[in-house]
């Protein structure tokens, strides 16, 4: 059996580890456009902050590829997939045959067509190790940085570079930060906390045009900056499968990580998968989902049986020592708790937990996550008890015994 | 493999397991001295409500979600024991988000911590089991 994996991040690595659970022999070629050993993308902000380094940022150890009998093709671009011939064509015309193929090409920064953007000299996106290395070279303590995008990527970038520059301003079209994972109250708490760490916000603001080191806003204000970071959003890299399998702003996959094209699987940020917490197909560009979807693909590619049908949006993230854990969707009735430094919202309805937001105290959050993932009927647990604190005590005795007593 | 199992029927809620756990992780040989005036920072944790109490620690799941979700690769498995490399952990707590038992928690120093069956401690066998006065916690191979 010959396996080809396009992409060398969480989904691709998950696929290698999935294949090797079933098939120790078949050759695996991992193709990456980047020049690096597999590394953790979310760690690039930690790298700039000095909380990790070029060795520890590696997602798997140095000997990962040799241990797993893989061939890594670095700095290699795939120009086409030829499903009839069962081969991928590289940009140097070389052809690599496969029996099973995984497309785990990830996502890329979405760059809006701002007027005058080309006149900005020092501009960066913040998705890859090369982005981080490039940005780091430009930083110095006299420079002012404007980050466009107050989502997870933009804010982690802000935290990572804060101590290395004169000033950081984060601008977003939305009225609140992290609008994809926080509600109004949670966003306000986090905004205040991040502001206390000397980062400024311009929210509900939209950029009309750039002119070298100036951003002209719709309301007439002008922001001067030395470095621009664009973190507005991401787009799935699904183009290789256009015309070969179903794609619609993301590659369609089933619960076995199969695309609609025979022998071709897909996983990670380039896909669209079923969110059981909302009942919709969506891009869930999250590392844990990418790994598990990739591992599922690998097991199935190697002839095993595996389904990945418990995908939900979920995030664990922290800023300047304050932690956030969120999961699911925020519809239905709400249980609320607020105290100094802490914030909790639990969303439920139709006898199910839909989602939750925890800020500050995040202990045992996984018990809430599992209620969403497992679609646990809330009338089978002590819901009042579990709202106050996530705990196994809220489950019926038999259930507790099977969880911790192995019976 | 051998794992830690808990029978809530025998748990007295005395929290000795928490103390033995914290002591094993801290090292040293005088428990009273090591833990005096300190809130025990244990990886096994007692849940208590009314008359019921039981200890919860890592289940060393065959298909461990913490390990699959770890963004750094700090979580690994050796001979069935799921363990965290504190040097690589960046304290994002994705493992806390994922553990369905609530058995992974932030440590006071930052990195996530969990029961590693005492494989890294001097004794090499689970201290909570030895410390339980009522055999509510056992270390057995039940074919998992």
């Amino acid at each position: 059996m010959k396996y080809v994996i396009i992409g060398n991040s969480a989904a691709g690595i998950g696929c290698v580890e999935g294949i090797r659970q079933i098939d120790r022999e078949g050759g695996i070629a991992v193709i990456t456009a980047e020049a690096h050993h597999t590394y953790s993308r979310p760690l690039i902000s930690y790298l700039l902050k000095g909380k990790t380094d070029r060795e520890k940022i590696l997602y798997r150890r140095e000997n990962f590829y040799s241990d797993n009998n893989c061939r890594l093709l670095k700095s290699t671009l795939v120009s086409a997939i030829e499903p009839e011939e069962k081969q991928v064509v590289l940009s140097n015309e070389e052809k690599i045959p496969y029996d099973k193929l995984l497309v785990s090409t990830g996502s890329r920064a979405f760059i809006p067509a701002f007027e005058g953007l080309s006149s900005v000299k020092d501009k960066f996106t913040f998705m890859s190790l090369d982005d981080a290395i490039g940005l780091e070279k430009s930083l110095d303590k006299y420079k002012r940085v404007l980050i466009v995008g107050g989502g997870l990527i933009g804010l982690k970038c802000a935290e990572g570079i804060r101590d290395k520059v004169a000033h950081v301003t984060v601008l977003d079209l939305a009225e609140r930060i992290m609008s994809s994972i926080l509600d109004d109250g949670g966003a306000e708490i986090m905004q205040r906390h991040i502001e206390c760490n000397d980062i400024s916000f311009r929210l509900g603001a939209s950029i009309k045009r750039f002119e070298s080191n100036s951003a002209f806003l719709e309301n007439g204000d002008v922001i001067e900056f030395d470095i621009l970071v664009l973190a507005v959003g991401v787009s799935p890299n699904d183009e290789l499968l256009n015309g070969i399998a179903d794609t619609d702003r993301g590659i369609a996959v089933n619960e076995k990580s199969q695309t609609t094209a025979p022998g071709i699987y897909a996983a990670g940020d380039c896909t669209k998968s079923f969110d059981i917490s909302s009942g919709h197909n969506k891009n869930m560009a999250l590392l844990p989902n990418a790994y598990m979807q990739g591992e599922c693909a690998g097991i199935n590619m190697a002839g095993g049986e595996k389904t990945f049908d418990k995908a939900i949006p979920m995030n664990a993230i922290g800023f300047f020592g304050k932690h956030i854990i969120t999961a699911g969707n925020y519809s239905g009735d709400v249980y609320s708790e607020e105290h100094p430094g802490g914030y909790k919202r639990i969303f439920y309805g139709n006898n199910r937990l839909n989602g939750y937001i925890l800020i500050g105290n995040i202990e045992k959050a996984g018990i809430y996550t599992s209620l969403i993932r497992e679609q646990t009927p809330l009338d089978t647990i002590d819901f009042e008890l579990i709202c106050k604190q996530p705990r196994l005590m809220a489950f019926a005795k038999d259930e507790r015994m099977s969880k911790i007593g192995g019976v | 493999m051998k794992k830690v199992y808990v029978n809530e029927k025998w748990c007295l809620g005395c929290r000795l397991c928490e103390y033995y756990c914290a002591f094993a992780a801290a090292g040293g040989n005088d428990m009273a001295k090591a833990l005096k005036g300190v809130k025990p920072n244990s990886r096994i944790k007692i849940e208590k409500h009314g008359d019921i109490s039981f200890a919860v620690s890592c289940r060393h799941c065959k298909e461990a979600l913490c390990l699959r979700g770890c963004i750094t690769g700090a979580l690994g498995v050796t001979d069935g024991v799921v363990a965290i490399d504190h040097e690589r952990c960046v304290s994002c707590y994705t493992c806390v988000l994922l553990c369905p038992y609530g058995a992974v928690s932030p440590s006071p120093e930052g990195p996530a911590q969990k029961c590693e069956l005492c494989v890294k401690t001097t004794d090499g066998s689970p201290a909570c089991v030895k410390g339980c006065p009522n055999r509510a916690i056992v270390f057995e191979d039940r074919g998992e």
Side-chain angles (χ1 to χ4, degrees), chain A residues 6 167 196 264 313 385-386:
Chain A
I6 309 173
H167 196 253
C196 286
I264 303 180
L385 189 70
I386 214 165

Side-chain angles (χ1 to χ4, degrees), chain A residues 135-406:
Chain A
L135 174 59
E136 187 164 37
K137 279 187 192 144
S138 287
L139 302 176
D140 74 45
K141 61 182 179 179
Y142 303 108
K143 288 190 174 162
R144 301 155 299 172
V145 182
L146 174 63
I147 297 175
V148 182
L152 309 185
I153 294 175
L155 290 175
K156 279 313 268 186
C157 178
E159 184 192 34
I161 65 176
R162 175 64 203 94
D163 292 338
K164 297 185 165 178
V165 296
H167 196 253
V168 180
T169 303
V170 177
L171 178 146
D172 203 298
L173 200 56
E175 294 286 348
R176 59 186 158 99
I177 62 170
M178 288 185 269
S179 55
S180 64
I181 69 162
L182 292 179
D183 61 354
D184 289 345
E188 197 186 322
I189 289 173
M190 288 312 297
Q191 183 183 339
R192 277 202 303 269
H193 176 70
I194 296 170
E195 277 169 346
C196 286
N197 286 279
D198 211 14
I199 286 168
S200 312
F201 288 99
R202 292 296 295 259
L203 301 178
S206 88
I207 292 172
K208 200 172 174 193
R209 64 187 174 90
F210 288 100
E211 203 176 295
S212 63
N213 287 45
S214 308
F216 294 85
L217 309 190
E218 291 286 357
N219 71 357
D221 288 358
V222 182
I223 302 175
E224 302 286 337
F225 61 88
D226 301 297
I227 296 171
L228 177 68
V229 178
L230 294 167
V232 177
V234 298
S235 312
N237 293 323
D238 60 1
E239 293 79 2
L240 278 176
L241 284 178
N242 283 348
I244 295 173
D246 285 357
T247 61
D248 174 22
R249 279 170 289 170
I251 301 162
V253 288
N254 64 14
E255 72 285 356
K256 291 182 167 179
S257 306
Q258 289 168 316
T259 69
T260 52
I264 303 180
Y265 295 70
D269 293 12
C270 60
T271 66
K272 230 177 186 180
S273 48
F274 187 71
D275 166 14
I276 57 167
S277 75
S278 70
H280 297 298
N281 277 313
K282 55 166 81 154
N283 287 113
M284 280 176 280
L286 306 165
L287 191 145
N289 285 342
Y291 179 90
M292 290 188 258
Q293 202 172 28
E295 182 189 38
C296 168
I299 291 170
N300 290 317
M301 287 159 72
E305 278 285 330
K306 183 78 184 166
T307 53
F308 175 64
D309 53 4
K310 289 177 181 168
I312 54 169
M314 52 185 178
N315 278 282
I317 195 163
F319 296 94
F320 302 105
K322 196 186 267 301
H323 290 277
I324 307 171
I325 292 188
T326 66
N329 88 83
Y330 307 151
S331 63
D333 294 327
V334 189
Y335 170 88
S336 305
E337 252 183 52
E338 264 164 78
H339 36 83
Y343 183 86
K344 179 192 272 194
R345 291 287 182 274
I346 293 175
F347 304 88
Y348 61 97
N350 295 327
N351 205 22
R352 295 286 186 278
L353 194 70
N354 297 330
Y356 70 88
I357 298 170
L358 298 178
I359 300 175
N361 180 8
I362 47 100
E363 292 227 15
K364 300 188 183 225
I367 294 176
Y368 290 150
T369 311
S370 94
L371 293 177
I372 308 172
R373 280 170 55 91
E374 304 301 330
Q375 303 273 288
T376 306
L378 296 182
D379 58 9
T380 63
I381 62 171
D382 185 337
F383 185 57
E384 201 182 325
L385 189 70
I386 214 165
C387 276
K388 289 187 186 120
Q389 200 188 348
R391 54 210 301 207
L392 298 184
M393 187 68 78
F395 291 85
K397 188 175 180 186
D398 291 354
E399 188 67 21
R400 294 201 298 267
M401 292 298 280
S402 85
K403 283 182 192 297
I404 57 169

Side-chain angles (χ1 to χ4, degrees), chain B:
Chain B
M1 69 178 269
K2 281 175 93 173
K3 289 187 181 180
V4 167
Y5 294 100
V6 172
N7 187 344
E8 67 177 54
K9 196 164 73 173
W10 301 110
C11 178
L12 307 167
C14 68
R15 297 190 183 270
L16 269 174
C17 53
E18 292 182 349
Y19 282 91
Y20 276 94
C21 173
F23 179 54
N29 38 29
D30 185 338
M31 180 154 149
K33 217 182 241 175
L35 298 179
K36 195 177 174 194
V38 197
K39 189 171 176 278
N41 164 35
S42 62
R43 291 112 193 266
I44 193 166
K45 285 185 165 59
I46 291 285
E47 283 198 23
K48 211 168 186 172
H49 183 65
D51 294 337
I52 306 167
S53 61
F54 51 84
V56 181
S57 63
C58 173
R59 308 319 304 147
H60 298 278
C61 309
K62 263 200 186 127
E63 206 176 302
L65 291 174
C66 56
L67 185 143
R68 283 166 172 70
C70 178
I71 69 167
T72 66
L75 271 145
V77 57
T78 312
D79 300 327
V81 180
V82 178
I84 300 176
D85 178 348
H86 283 196
E87 291 296 309
R88 293 166 72 86
C89 176
V90 295
S91 313
C92 74
Y93 305 137
T94 302
C95 47
V96 177
L97 157 76
L98 283 165
C99 176
Y101 305 101
V104 189
S105 52
S107 69
E109 302 78 35
Q113 64 177 19
K114 59 184 287 303
C115 163
E116 298 175 356
L117 296 176
C118 281
V119 290
K120 291 177 186 166
T121 64
T122 45
D123 199 298
S125 68
C128 56
V129 175
K130 274 179 292 177
C132 179
N134 213 31
R135 283 190 48 79
I137 310 174
V138 294
F139 188 45
E140 290 177 359
D141 189 336
R142 295 187 180 173
E144 272 194 296

